[in-house]
Amino acid sequence: MGNKEKAKERREKRLQEIRLQMTIPYSDHQRWWSKETVAVVTGGNRGIGFEICRQLAVHGLTVILTSRDSSAGIESIQSLQEGGLSVVYHQLDVTDHSSINQFVQWLRENYGGLDILVNNAGVNFNLGSDNSVENAHKVIETNYYGIKHTIEAIIPLMKPSLAGARIVNVSSRLGRLNGRRNRISNVALREELNDVESLSDELIDRALSTFLQQVEDGTWTTSGWPQVYTDYSVSKLAVNAYTRLMARKLSERPEGQKIYINSYCPGWVKTALTGYAGNNTVEEGADTGVWLALLSVQTFMGKFFAERREINF
């Protein structure tokens, strides 16, 4: 059996374990949440985001499903509400500062804040063997800066509690610094981004600015960037770095005011983002994100997960 076959076998075995875990209900002592617990999910009108909304609502939380397109979002919550789930809708375009501010104001006025934020909104314009960077600016603006600006605006609204508030960033293994494949080959930049103590907003911004400039002048192909879905991979590399940076910034908050932030890779999921060419179902893709959001004893901070296991950045 070759390496690919062995890897496929291991992945399928792990997915079987996850499917079994998904059938096990939370016990009463694990359920730190109630119907008053508010979870906000960005990009929730379809795919993984919609499934995360559904699973959180099934577990009894109040879920706020957001999306850029109002008509798509309203249509999405109707099917959930018809099933008796506590899901409400509000428009949110994570690339629009005014939209973020309006949402934050509405959230404060109607719910007083939130307990869980799942940053799922994202875009990808490459399918199959495509690797165009024609939409690189939009990919970086949505996938990275959308998450960054949303977190910055919403953190003041995260409710204090003994369980701690939670932020879950949907990311990808394609953005791993130290993966065997698709990592950046610029060793100096990789070492800078790998050093959590020296990580800064400025460092991440500078790396992205350099990438986008090289996209403009056509030198990106020889500058050591990931070679698969390059713009998407770079955006998720930035998300992972920012997750670790924010974990450091939030780590000194006192008990009762903790905010736990982590990222996870849902895998290659059968959604519009992958052209429905993935291996995993949306239920499997959403599972680790929901698991991170609902952990009864949350100790993870600035970590990266896949299939309910911590993996390396």
Side-chain angles (χ1 to χ4, degrees):
M1 183 183 294
N3 290 336
K4 286 186 177 180
E5 289 77 14
K6 289 180 180 178
K8 184 178 180 181
E9 186 177 86
R10 288 195 299 270
R11 183 173 63 247
E12 183 55 36
K13 182 178 179 181
R14 183 57 187 160
L15 284 175
Q16 288 176 358
E17 294 173 0
I18 293 297
R19 291 174 193 132
L20 176 61
Q21 291 173 331
M22 289 168 65
T23 66
I24 302 173
Y26 286 90
S27 63
D28 288 342
H29 80 272
Q30 291 175 311
R31 296 173 66 91
W32 58 269
W33 64 89
S34 68
K35 191 175 181 180
E36 282 67 49
T37 303
V38 176
V40 171
V41 181
T42 69
N45 61 294
R46 65 178 184 176
I48 295 170
F50 178 82
E51 180 60 21
I52 289 174
C53 289
R54 189 193 70 80
Q55 290 188 25
L56 289 174
V58 165
H59 286 304
L61 289 79
T62 292
V63 177
I64 301 172
L65 183 157
T66 74
S67 67
R68 179 180 55 81
D69 185 330
S70 295
S71 59
I74 292 169
E75 185 177 337
S76 295
I77 68 162
Q78 287 175 347
S79 62
L80 298 175
Q81 290 175 337
E82 288 169 0
L85 299 177
S86 181
V87 182
V88 296
Y89 176 75
H90 196 280
Q91 192 273 343
L92 174 60
D93 180 351
V94 299
T95 67
D96 183 341
H97 285 283
S98 64
S99 177
I100 294 173
N101 292 336
Q102 288 171 19
F103 174 72
V104 167
Q105 182 178 348
W106 172 86
L107 185 63
R108 182 188 295 111
E109 292 174 353
N110 289 274
Y111 293 92
L114 74 162
D115 304 274
I116 296 168
L117 170 64
V118 181
N119 287 301
N120 170 74
V123 294
N124 171 44
F125 294 94
N126 289 306
L127 297 174
S129 59
D130 297 341
N131 193 31
S132 168
V133 292
E134 180 181 352
N135 296 289
H137 281 272
K138 185 171 185 178
V139 172
I140 298 297
E141 186 64 28
T142 305
N143 295 3
Y144 172 64
Y145 287 107
I147 283 180
K148 183 180 191 296
H149 296 153
T150 300
I151 288 176
E152 289 173 347
I154 276 184
I155 275 182
L157 269 67
M158 303 208 82
K159 297 178 180 178
S161 70
L162 291 176
R166 289 98 192 276
I167 299 174
V168 179
N169 295 329
V170 180
S171 190
S172 172
R173 286 185 179 94
L174 288 172
R176 292 174 72 184
L177 271 177
N178 299 303
R180 286 176 294 177
R181 297 175 295 173
N182 209 47
R183 67 181 183 181
I184 55 174
S185 58
N186 183 330
V187 176
L189 177 58
R190 194 166 69 234
E191 289 179 350
E192 280 188 297
L193 292 171
N194 199 43
D195 183 357
V196 69
E197 294 306 318
S198 67
L199 263 179
S200 66
D201 294 283
E202 293 75 20
L203 173 59
I204 299 171
D205 287 343
R206 188 168 69 248
L208 294 177
S209 179
T210 298
F211 168 66
L212 292 174
Q213 181 57 52
Q214 291 172 349
V215 166
E216 291 293 324
D217 61 33
T219 61
W220 67 274
T221 56
T222 57
S223 299
W225 300 106
Q227 296 301 301
V228 177
Y229 295 174
T230 301
D231 53 6
Y232 182 82
S233 298
V234 170
S235 74
K236 294 304 185 179
L237 174 72
V239 168
N240 287 341
Y242 184 70
T243 300
R244 298 166 73 215
L245 171 61
M246 285 305 299
R248 193 187 75 209
K249 291 181 178 181
L250 295 170
S251 63
E252 296 182 3
R253 292 174 73 98
E255 290 299 326
Q257 297 181 36
K258 293 287 189 184
I259 299 176
Y260 298 96
I261 182 169
N262 296 285
S263 60
Y264 92 100
C265 174
W268 198 238
V269 183
K270 298 173 185 175
T271 65
L273 199 73
T274 65
Y276 300 96
N279 300 312
N280 300 352
T281 66
V282 288
E283 291 83 4
E284 292 161 352
D287 176 73
T288 298
V290 173
W291 172 75
L292 277 171
L294 298 183
L295 277 173
S296 56
V297 180
Q298 177 62 278
T299 58
F300 300 121
M301 190 72 154
K303 304 297 184 182
F304 190 27
F305 292 85
E307 291 95 35
R308 298 196 186 192
R309 289 179 176 175
E310 184 181 345
I311 60 176
N312 293 328
F313 280 101

